[in-house]
């Protein structure tokens, strides 16, 4: 088959890495980068570090409002699909690039596959929730990472084409752990293993509102231990606009986003993670690092069930309390697959007619 894969944002490059390798064993893959993320450290580094094929097309849409960004992607994608005439289109995750790919494929009658199908936060205020629901309802093949995701789809009446394959991000994490261990980022940043917090933040509800972001910054500056914080560009822009950047930097190692291997190295060396990222909550679970999540709900409820993830919201005191006291113990029993999710996706695509 000729398969068009659509990616555009940081977590999608990571997810696409093992799947693209599998697809290319038996199919022709045309990789389309929408250009949603474009800074070198949000895009190019992932292609290099994870050895992903160069995109055949970059639509170069850049940043804009949801409507404009999605529309620009749809226009660009339609042109590519008219020219390439693929048999199948694959989208990943829940970004605007996912939504654009799903809508254009459906309108053009091209069979659609969704990697990371069935995730739900049950919060439609999140742009990602809207994107996931639409992508799932338009997909012919739905690659679910967990049993919870399969159950969510069943509840919405989606049972055909659903395959529980496991989480491709778990595949990548397992494949990358050894290379990450040989990174020297801890010594370069003067960090001691087991004695610092790793922070990431980028959800609009946390970083676009001055009061909320201020409350989080207050917690980080009072954490009473070293904190390393690779700052997402959305967050950096708002820290500067809200005049919070200097206060943060006085106490926290606020650094540029790092590449995937450096990130996994920082994660494995940290005593705790503080985040609002979906992917990072899971990676903390994979590597047995306690996770403090600055949200009120999560799509990844498996990380909560064994007590390795604490949902604490965004109040300064609640965050500080969790930084101080949250101390999960015991096993991690929840499954994100067997590390071969991408292979399973490849074999299912081989059989698709
Ligand atoms: C997007 C996804 C989100 C995902 C996240 C991963 C949507 C609606 N959101 O959020 O689901 O979790 O990616 O990181 O699709 N910017 C830069 N350089 C870049 C990219 C972004 O400076 O390379 C800045 C711009 O100011 C931009 C802002 O970040 O306006 C937000 O970027 P955007 O892609 O719209 O959303 P994210 O917050 O990155
Ligand atoms: N990540 C990275 N460098 C960083 C921060 C995160 O490589 O500086 C990786 C991290 O390992 C995770 C992914 O980016 O797999 C998560 O992306 P993000 O938090 O931007 O998006 P989300 O998972 O919330 O959609």
């Amino acid at each position: 088959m000729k398969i068009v894969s659509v990616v555009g944002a940081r977590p999608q490059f990571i997810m696409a890495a093992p799947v693209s390798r599998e697809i290319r064993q038996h199919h022709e893959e045309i990789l389309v980068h929408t250009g949603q993320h474009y800074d070198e450290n949000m895009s190019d580094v992932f292609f290099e570090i994870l050895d992903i094929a160069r995109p055949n097309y970059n639509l170069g849409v850049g940043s804009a409002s949801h409507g404009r960004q999605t529309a620009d992607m749809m226009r660009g994608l339609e042109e590519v699909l008219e020219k390439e005439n693929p048999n199948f289109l694959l989208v990943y995750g829940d970004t605007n690039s996912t939504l654009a790919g799903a809508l254009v494929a459906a309108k053009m009658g091209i069979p659609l596959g969704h990697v990371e199908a069935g995730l739900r936060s049950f919060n439609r205020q999140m742009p990602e929730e809207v994107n996931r629901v639409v992508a799932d309802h338009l997909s012919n093949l739905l690659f679910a990472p967990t049993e919870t995701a399969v159950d969510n789809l069943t509840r919405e009446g989606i049972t055909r084409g659903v395959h529980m394959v496991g989480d491709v991000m778990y595949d990548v994490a397992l494949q990358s752990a050894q290379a990450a261990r040989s990174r020297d980022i801890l010594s370069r940043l003067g960090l001691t293993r087991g004695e610092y917090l790793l922070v990431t933040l980028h959800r609009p509800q946390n970083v676009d509102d001055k009061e909320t972001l201020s409350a989080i910054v207050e917690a980080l500056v009072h954490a009473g231990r070293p904190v390393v914080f690779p700052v997402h560009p959305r967050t950096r822009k708002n820290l500067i606009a809200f005049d919070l950047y200097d206060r943060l930097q006085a106490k926290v190692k606020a650094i540029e986003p790092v590449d995937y291997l450096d990130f996994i190295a920082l994660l494995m060396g940290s005593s705790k993670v503080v985040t609002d990222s979906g992917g990072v909550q899971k990676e903390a679970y994979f590597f047995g690092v306690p996770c403090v999540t600055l949200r009120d709900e999560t799509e990844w409820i498996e990380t909560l069930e064994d007590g390795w993830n604490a949902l604490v919201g965004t109040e300064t005191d609640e965050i500080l309390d969790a930084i101080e006291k949250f101390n999960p113990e015991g096993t991690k029993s929840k499954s994100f697959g067997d590390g071969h999710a991408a292979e399973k996706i490849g074999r299912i695509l081989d059989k698709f007619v």
Side-chain angles (χ1 to χ4, degrees):
M1 291 202 286
K2 188 183 210 179
I3 299 176
V4 165
S5 302
V6 179
V7 292
R10 172 164 74 181
Q12 294 170 323
F13 310 137
I14 299 167
M15 286 191 263
V19 179
S20 173
R21 263 195 298 280
E22 282 301 323
I23 289 177
R24 283 164 192 252
Q25 285 187 18
H26 299 113
H27 306 278
E28 180 189 0
E29 184 187 40
I30 306 289
L31 189 58
V32 180
H33 186 327
T34 62
Q36 177 169 353
H37 285 173
Y38 44 87
D39 290 347
E40 199 190 341
N41 58 22
M42 294 294 289
S43 177
D44 294 3
V45 290
F46 293 93
F47 286 82
E48 283 156 32
I49 289 283
L50 296 170
D51 201 18
I52 308 168
R54 275 175 62 89
N56 302 76
Y57 297 88
N58 189 320
L59 306 179
V61 300
S63 307
S65 65
H66 285 267
R68 178 182 287 272
Q69 188 183 52
T70 310
D72 286 349
M73 289 173 188
M74 289 178 70
R75 194 153 75 180
L77 268 172
E78 192 173 59
E79 269 177 36
V80 170
L81 298 179
E82 271 163 5
K83 183 161 163 236
E84 296 289 348
N85 198 19
N87 309 97
F88 198 87
L89 189 137
L90 201 57
V91 293
Y92 293 85
D94 53 19
T95 73
N96 288 347
S97 300
T98 317
L99 177 67
L103 285 172
V104 174
K107 296 278 179 176
M108 294 179 76
I110 300 166
L112 176 69
H114 184 199
V115 178
E116 208 184 68
L119 271 284
R120 295 291 181 269
S121 65
F122 303 101
N123 174 2
R124 293 247 173 134
Q125 303 289 318
M126 287 179 74
E128 293 83 2
E129 185 77 351
V130 176
N131 296 344
R132 299 174 187 124
V133 169
V134 173
D136 284 341
H137 281 264
L138 296 178
S139 288
N140 305 78
L141 289 180
L142 300 99
F143 301 111
T146 59
E147 290 296 349
T148 310
V150 175
D151 293 344
N152 290 337
L153 293 169
T154 307
R155 266 198 299 276
E156 291 175 25
I158 305 172
T159 50
R160 278 189 61 189
V162 176
H163 298 269
M164 214 310 272
V165 292
D167 193 332
V168 293
M169 291 198 65
Y170 185 50
D171 296 12
V172 186
L174 290 181
Q175 288 159 17
S176 308
Q178 202 179 337
R181 276 190 198 97
S182 59
R183 288 288 173 121
D184 64 356
I185 184 152
L186 269 68
S187 57
R188 277 194 283 121
L189 293 175
L191 296 165
T192 306
R193 183 169 296 281
E195 289 186 9
Y196 64 90
L197 299 177
L198 172 63
V199 176
T200 82
L201 279 180
H202 74 279
R203 294 269 157 241
Q205 62 266 39
N206 287 350
V207 306
D208 288 3
D209 175 65
K210 183 175 180 181
E211 223 172 284
T212 310
L213 188 54
S214 265
I216 298 171
V217 168
E218 279 314 293
L220 300 180
V221 301
H222 288 104
R225 66 202 73 191
V227 178
V228 61
F229 180 4
V231 185
H232 187 288
R234 172 191 282 273
T235 310
R236 183 175 298 271
K237 195 177 70 177
N238 290 338
L239 284 166
I240 293 167
F242 301 153
D243 217 3
L244 294 167
Y245 201 74
D246 290 344
R247 177 148 183 76
L248 179 79
Q249 236 183 351
K251 291 279 187 183
V252 166
K253 283 183 200 294
I255 60 174
E256 288 291 319
V258 295
D259 72 43
Y260 180 73
L261 293 179
D262 277 350
F263 189 79
I264 295 298
L266 286 175
L267 178 86
M268 292 193 297
S270 66
S271 59
K272 243 173 226 174
V273 168
V274 177
T275 191
D276 61 11
S277 158
V280 177
Q281 287 175 66
K282 282 186 294 175
E283 287 159 351
Y285 187 83
F286 299 159
F287 292 107
V289 180
C291 184
V292 174
T293 298
L294 308 190
R295 289 180 53 190
D296 296 325
E297 78 280 306
T298 180
E299 302 77 32
W300 300 105
I301 58 165
E302 293 78 5
T303 61
L304 298 177
E305 286 168 350
D306 289 332
W308 281 82
N309 188 4
L311 290 180
V312 303
T314 54
E315 301 282 336
T316 308
D317 290 348
E318 301 287 326
I319 301 170
L320 281 172
D321 200 51
I323 287 175
E324 194 57 44
K325 299 190 191 130
F326 179 55
N327 193 14
E329 280 169 5
T331 52
K332 296 182 291 129
S333 66
K334 301 300 167 188
S335 173
F336 287 85
D338 59 3
H340 297 280
E343 284 162 52
K344 293 186 180 119
I345 292 171
R347 299 302 74 80
I348 293 161
L349 286 170
D350 292 347
K351 288 191 212 131
F352 184 82
V353 276

